């Protein structure tokens, strides 16, 4: 579904990503784990069309996705939930969710709203409340819910556990698993390797802008290098 090959990207003259290669198959949960500043966000930005790569190729569903406008990629089903969540604070939960469906033009959004409320019942309870009054965990749920309104085929999540307690992190990751059960593939970027590897089918370890290790999620949890560097074991 998503193929990234030889991806190089950076900011100004500073190269951050060095020949990053990864793939996500239909219905898979794939994690990219790595420490602070490893280039995880940069990787997602390049895939989402928010940062022009200096070289390399990105294909989505067999079609080139490099040099394509971000809104066009959203229409094709490639949707990013950014780390800062980028919610519209003064707007209500329901209004934020409707904004997520803007690329779908005039199609009715009621059914999609119901599906998001089924995934996150707390959002239904809070539907008339401004987004800025939600707790951190609820805001993350809203950011994911808003992305779901675009009907993604591949959902990219940038550090959804940021600022959340372990309990809320698991609640969010449990929802990610249910999203996958709906047939949506997930690319999950996390500094918190224990959480991400716990739900990932496959994972990549990113260090200083290069992929240094790849394997099944449960294999990597047992890998001594991963345990020492990312799990503190
Ligand atoms: P974190 O866990 O801190 O979010 P990350 O793995 O997502 O880390 P990136 O945000 O991709 O890492 O950053 C990779 C490197 O790029 C870092 O050294 C960072 O300082 C640098 N960087 C990020 N954004 C910019 C920018 N807009 N301009 C210049 N350098 C940047």
């Amino acid at each position: 579904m998503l193929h990234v090959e030889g991806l190089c990207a950076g900011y100004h003259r500073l190269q951050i990503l060095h020949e990053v290669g990864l793939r996500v198959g239909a219905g898979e949960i794939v994690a990219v784990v790595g420490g602070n500043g490893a280039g995880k966000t940069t990787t997602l930005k390049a895939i989402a069309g928010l940062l022009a790569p200096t070289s390399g190729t990105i294909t989505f569903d067999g079609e080139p996705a490099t040099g394509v406008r971000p809104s066009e990629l959203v229409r094709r089903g490639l949707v990013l939930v950014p780390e800062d969540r980028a919610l519209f604070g003064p707007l209500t939960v329901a209004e934020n969710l409707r904004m997520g469906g803007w690329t779908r033009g005039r199609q009715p959004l009621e059914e999609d709203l119901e599906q998001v409320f089924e995934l996150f019942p707390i959002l239904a309870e809070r539907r008339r409340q401004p987004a800025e009054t939600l707790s951190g965990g609820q805001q993350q749920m809203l950011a994911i819910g808003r992305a779901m309104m675009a009907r993604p085929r591949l959902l990219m999540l940038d550090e959804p556990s940021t600022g959340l307690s372990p309990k809320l992190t698991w609640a969010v990751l449990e929802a990610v698993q249910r999203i996958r059960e709906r047939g949506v593939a997930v690319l999950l970027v996390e500094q918190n390797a224990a959480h991400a590897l716990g739900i990932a089918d496959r994972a990549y370890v990113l260090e200083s802008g290069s992929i240094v290790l790849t394997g099944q999620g449960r294999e990597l949890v047992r890998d001594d290098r991963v345990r020492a560097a990312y799990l503190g074991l």
Side-chain angles (χ1 to χ4, degrees):
M1 174 173 249
L2 176 75
H3 284 262
V4 176
E5 276 173 34
L7 179 67
C8 297
Y11 305 96
H12 315 290
R13 286 204 202 109
L14 181 66
Q15 185 176 352
I16 302 292
L17 302 182
H18 306 274
E19 308 264 335
V20 167
L22 59 89
R23 67 185 170 83
V24 182
E28 265 193 317
I29 298 180
V30 173
V32 175
V33 298
N36 221 336
K40 303 180 299 296
T41 298
T42 306
T43 304
L44 290 191
K45 278 189 181 167
I47 296 172
L50 298 167
L51 178 70
T54 43
S55 58
T57 57
I58 304 168
T59 56
F60 182 57
D61 275 341
E63 301 278 326
T66 340
V68 177
R69 287 216 317 268
S71 57
E72 177 55 26
L73 292 173
V74 172
R75 271 191 202 94
R76 281 164 57 179
L78 192 60
V79 183
L80 171 69
V81 180
E83 188 175 7
D84 67 3
R85 296 161 195 163
L87 296 171
F88 304 102
L91 300 189
T92 66
V93 166
E95 285 165 343
N96 268 276
L97 290 174
R98 287 181 180 282
M99 297 290 272
W102 72 274
T103 48
R104 303 205 359 246
R106 294 179 174 276
Q107 285 180 45
L109 300 174
E110 298 314 314
E111 197 182 310
D112 301 76
L113 272 175
E114 286 314 314
Q115 286 192 4
V116 171
F117 291 150
E118 204 176 282
L119 200 56
F120 301 115
I122 190 72
L123 297 183
E125 282 175 35
R126 306 271 151 105
R127 63 197 297 166
R128 290 183 191 84
Q129 213 169 298
E132 63 202 4
T133 65
L134 300 181
S135 71
Q138 291 162 0
Q139 290 194 9
Q140 185 60 56
M141 291 174 192
L142 179 55
I144 296 173
R146 187 180 58 182
M148 290 301 289
M149 294 295 291
R151 295 205 179 165
R153 303 191 47 249
L154 172 62
L155 183 67
M156 299 193 286
L157 301 171
D158 194 353
E159 305 221 22
S161 74
T162 299
L164 303 191
S165 66
K167 190 171 162 224
L168 272 172
T169 299
W170 282 118
V172 167
L173 293 183
E174 192 264 328
V176 169
Q177 288 172 294
R178 282 188 285 135
I179 287 170
R180 180 258 286 278
E181 284 163 19
R182 293 182 180 185
V184 179
V186 177
L187 180 58
L188 170 68
V189 152
E190 267 291 353
Q191 199 166 336
N192 192 329
H195 288 122
L197 297 178
I199 67 158
D201 301 309
R202 290 186 306 108
Y204 297 86
V205 178
L206 188 66
E207 271 178 18
S208 307
S210 300
I211 302 285
V212 294
L213 206 58
T214 179
Q216 291 184 348
R218 57 179 184 278
E219 269 171 22
L220 291 186
V221 173
R222 289 195 300 263
D223 186 285
D224 286 342
R225 285 164 296 178
V226 173
R227 290 168 72 86
Y230 301 107
L231 302 176
L233 299 171

